[in-house]
Amino acid sequence: MAKVLKWTNRFSGEQGFVQSVVKAEGHFVNTYDVAEAKVFNRQSDITRALNVLALIGETEDNDFEAVEI
């Protein structure tokens, strides 16, 4: 069950995928190409990434969802 995180900006409707989360710098790197997105194989890894995104404030303006690839 490989999944990637898809993001949607709540204001602009822009969409893409999470390539990496840079906790130390407080942001995530996005990509519009699903082939470049970070692949998650375990639910616990998805949960951890979502928690970090919330911790660094990225969930204030963006919605994230795990989608199967």
Side-chain angles (χ1 to χ4, degrees):
M1 163 183 86
K3 293 186 176 186
V4 296
L5 289 178
K6 180 179 177 182
W7 63 270
T8 303
N9 182 285
R10 291 184 185 150
F11 302 104
S12 70
E14 183 179 17
Q15 295 182 327
F17 301 94
V18 174
Q19 189 172 24
S20 65
V21 179
V22 188
K23 183 178 179 181
E25 295 178 21
H27 67 90
F28 73 99
V29 177
N30 64 349
T31 182
Y32 299 104
D33 184 353
V34 70
E36 296 176 354
K38 175 160 180 58
V39 176
F40 297 90
N41 293 307
R42 298 183 312 187
Q43 182 61 43
S44 60
D45 293 334
I46 295 169
T47 301
R48 185 173 25 258
L50 291 171
N51 288 339
V52 171
L53 288 164
L55 179 70
I56 62 177
E58 290 293 350
T59 56
E60 293 175 18
D61 296 335
N62 301 293
D63 291 318
F64 295 91
E65 67 176 312
V67 294
E68 242 179 279
I69 54 170

